[in-house]
Amino acid sequence: MGNGRTHRLVAASSVRPERVTWAWKDYIPVGMVILLVGEGGKGKSTEMCRLAAGWSRGTLPGDFHGRPVAVAIASAEDHRAAVIVPRLIAAGADLTHVHFVEAITAGVAGDIEIDGQVEELESTLLAAGVRALLVDTVVSHVPRGHDSYKEQDVRAVLKPLARMAERCGMVVLDTMHLNRREARDVLTRISGSGAFGNLARQVLLFAEDPDDPDGPTRILAVGK
């Protein structure tokens, strides 16, 4: 029985190769979903604010260097006035280029939902010229009814976000916690379904310096 669906072939010769552009050279490419993963309380959110500050000032090395861009932050974990804004100020952010994105339901503001429906979110971000969306943590923005441990559920909510990033030439940076498994492979340490790591173009590990675990130094390593 037919379902009304048809298929087509697209010749590879008709696809024009594109150079990868970098929001942060060698670490964060533009137009893709990136994961910043690490243990809770070790500074992922502070690093997120440092990146937001760099983009707001145009100081990070890469294709945004010298060109301040608008940044949107969705955080379900930290208080804006007491935590996030002070961190942004400490990192030297231009606060006029940093925004907090909310969802409005029946006139009430709340956290955005990563549920696969991106049309209205995309429109809001584009209207403000946002080039980087930072979600802390992505799992805390996935609504009930979507199981973050089921691959198909994760793909259903992340794929539209990845397509939005590609369409808009936007960075989508999601933070995630590590699980308690004893493994050296970063991808197997990401909480939830393995689809999070598989769908992300780049996975960055943020962790304590193993040579100085009690000190202030952190390491940032490319896990994928």
Side-chain angles (χ1 to χ4, degrees), residues 15 77 81 94 99 107 126 128 139 147 155 169 172 194 208 212-213 217:
V15 179
E77 298 201 341
D94 180 346
H99 311 273
L126 285 177
V139 172
D147 191 336
R155 289 184 176 275
V172 176
E208 298 171 323
D212 186 20
T217 306

Side-chain angles (χ1 to χ4, degrees), residues 144-159:
R144 291 181 181 179
H146 298 81
D147 191 336
S148 62
Y149 283 85
K150 290 184 178 179
E151 180 167 348
Q152 292 304 317
D153 282 16
V154 171
R155 289 184 176 275
V157 299
L158 275 197
K159 271 191 173 182

